[in-house]
Amino acid sequence: MTSPLHGRDFLKEVDFTADELGALIDLAVDLKAQRRQREEVQRLQGRLIALIFEKTSTRTRCAFEVGAYEQGAHVTYLDPSSSQLGRKESVADTARVLSRMYDAIEFRGSAQSTIEQLAQFADVPVYNGLTDEWHPTQMLADFMTMREHSPAGTAFNELSYAYLGDARSNMGNSLLVMGAIMGADVRIAAPRDLWPADEVQELARTHAAISGARLTLSESVDEAVAGAAFVHTDVWVSMGEPADVWDDRVRLLRPYRVTADVLKSTGHADTRFMHCLPAFHDMETTVGRDVAERSGLRDGLEVTSEVFDSPANVALDQAENRLHTIKAVMVATLD
Ligand code: CP
Ligand code: NVA
């Protein structure tokens, strides 16, 4: 039977209904169980997938590669230094050429308009591996993980989560809008200058009016986390931003770090910590160490080591679920 999502692009959350997103997550749950039982059925044998990464990646690249291999497909990895994209060949021409050789194209880059153009000129499904605006494959993994760490039978519209930090980047936008589509209780806490753009807030409100989602944007951490079952954060400076914004960002976001006190202040018995990763939670990275030394935040930036190293942290389950959800996107659109 052909999947209802066969041939579709996966560019941003709002292109899909709550039922379609839920079906992708259910498929990922099935694929995860098959893999654990060593009973995975290969549904993508002989398929070919181009992976274009204009920005660096560990999880997303590995999830596409491992997901493809396990399903019997093959991939080619392209980055700006080893391809013509951008400098010598337009996005449109790249899309037309790759469509003659591949069954699907993944793209990670800066502007959402670039991937939209790639999809417009490609004859095969195009997947968004992250843009400055959206991180939709991450949302499938995040919602899968939140459901896994909720009481059995919890529906997506019963999830409540807070996001603290830089909320006008891909993760803040996606967590707000995905929650709005799925009918969740979404709370964002950030300084007003770092709230999602007005158009993103408007988009979220439009979807919330249909789904019944409850959306809170606040400058108060206490208000945002009260009763939340999950507390998310992300790096304070995203890929593509200049390094010299770090000091100002630390000044703005220092009150929004995820600490043990923040998790306690939810009042929820079992609040879990989530992070798309990579995270600055110790002195083991060059950037983390430099910023920690300048700011004095030696026990972590956006999250403390105490929280990261605690049983409340489910970010590694979240990272593993990137594999199952990205595999689900490939299977649903290509099988
Ligand atoms: N969360 C995420 O997208 O990780 P990578 O940047 O390692 O792909
Ligand atoms: N906001 C981060 C997400 C990384 C997965 C970035 O764009 O760098």
Side-chain angles (χ1 to χ4, degrees):
M1 197 179 76
T2 309
S3 154
L5 296 182
H6 183 84
R8 291 271 298 274
D9 297 319
F10 194 75
L11 302 181
K12 55 189 181 301
E13 298 82 354
V14 289
D15 295 342
F16 293 84
T17 64
D19 285 347
E20 288 171 335
L21 294 165
L24 283 169
I25 295 169
D26 289 343
L27 175 57
V29 171
D30 282 351
L31 289 166
K32 183 172 183 172
Q34 283 179 25
R35 186 179 195 260
R36 291 243 159 124
Q37 289 149 15
R38 300 191 177 277
E39 286 174 358
E40 185 160 347
V41 179
Q42 288 195 331
R43 290 162 66 179
L44 300 181
Q45 278 180 4
R47 298 306 175 103
L48 299 161
I49 303 167
L51 306 178
I52 305 174
F53 279 84
E54 292 192 333
K55 291 177 171 177
T56 52
S57 169
T58 297
R59 278 144 290 273
T60 309
R61 176 181 175 180
C62 295
F64 272 102
E65 293 211 12
V66 173
Y69 296 145
E70 288 186 335
Q71 280 290 314
H74 306 275
V75 301
T76 303
Y77 176 78
L78 296 164
D79 67 25
S81 61
S82 61
S83 70
Q84 315 287 20
L85 183 68
R87 288 167 300 126
K88 284 177 66 184
E89 192 157 35
S90 68
V91 171
D93 289 355
T94 305
R96 287 187 282 230
V97 169
L98 294 180
S99 296
R100 298 291 182 99
M101 301 188 198
Y102 291 91
D103 298 297
I105 304 167
E106 179 275 353
F107 176 84
R108 166 174 283 199
S110 300
Q112 181 72 18
S113 56
T114 305
I115 194 170
E116 300 280 348
Q117 197 192 9
L118 193 66
Q120 183 191 339
F121 286 93
D123 299 326
V124 297
V126 172
Y127 311 132
N128 182 351
L130 175 147
T131 60
D132 292 344
E133 286 99 323
W134 307 112
H135 199 358
T137 60
Q138 181 75 52
M139 289 307 105
L140 299 178
D142 287 15
F143 272 67
M144 177 174 173
T145 309
M146 288 193 281
R147 202 173 56 176
E148 278 178 351
H149 285 280
S150 297
T154 301
F156 293 121
N157 63 5
E158 294 169 321
L159 295 174
S160 63
Y161 60 89
Y163 173 84
L164 313 186
D166 175 16
R168 35 99 266 182
S169 188
N170 38 34
M171 282 302 295
N173 291 346
S174 279
L175 281 167
L176 180 66
V177 170
M178 179 77 174
I181 297 169
M182 303 307 278
D185 180 353
V186 187
R187 302 92 171 282
I188 306 278
R192 197 170 278 264
D193 284 352
L194 299 182
W195 283 11
D198 292 345
E199 313 83 78
V200 174
Q201 292 184 37
E202 195 45 48
L203 197 58
R205 277 193 279 272
T206 305
H207 282 275
I210 300 163
S211 68
R214 292 127 290 158
L215 308 180
T216 306
L217 273 93
S218 174
E219 291 194 293
S220 158
V221 171
D222 286 344
E223 184 189 1
V225 303
F230 299 90
V231 175
H232 293 245
T233 190
D234 184 17
V235 291
W236 286 346
V237 174
S238 284
M239 290 183 278
E241 293 196 273
D244 63 11
V245 302
W246 262 111
D247 290 345
D248 190 50
R249 204 57 63 73
V250 170
R251 183 184 60 72
L252 284 170
L253 290 175
R254 189 185 282 258
Y256 296 88
R257 313 167 80 199
V258 182
T259 62
D261 283 345
V262 167
L263 291 193
K264 267 191 225 112
S265 68
T266 62
H268 189 280
D270 205 13
T271 300
R272 305 302 176 107
F273 167 72
M274 296 184 64
H275 194 309
C276 61
L277 303 180
F280 292 117
H281 60 91
D282 58 22
M283 302 284 276
E284 300 298 319
T285 63
T286 47
V287 174
R289 196 160 46 242
D290 284 355
V291 178
E293 269 158 13
R294 284 206 304 280
S295 63
L297 297 175
R298 302 178 68 84
D299 60 338
L301 301 179
E302 71 272 14
V303 55
T304 60
S305 9
E306 186 182 7
V307 169
F308 199 87
D309 295 335
S310 76
N313 180 10
V314 296
L316 293 178
D317 291 336
Q318 197 182 351
E320 181 193 325
N321 286 338
R322 300 298 309 288
L323 167 62
H324 310 300
T325 46
I326 281 175
K327 193 187 277 177
V329 170
M330 293 190 285
V331 167
T333 54
L334 291 180
D335 185 17

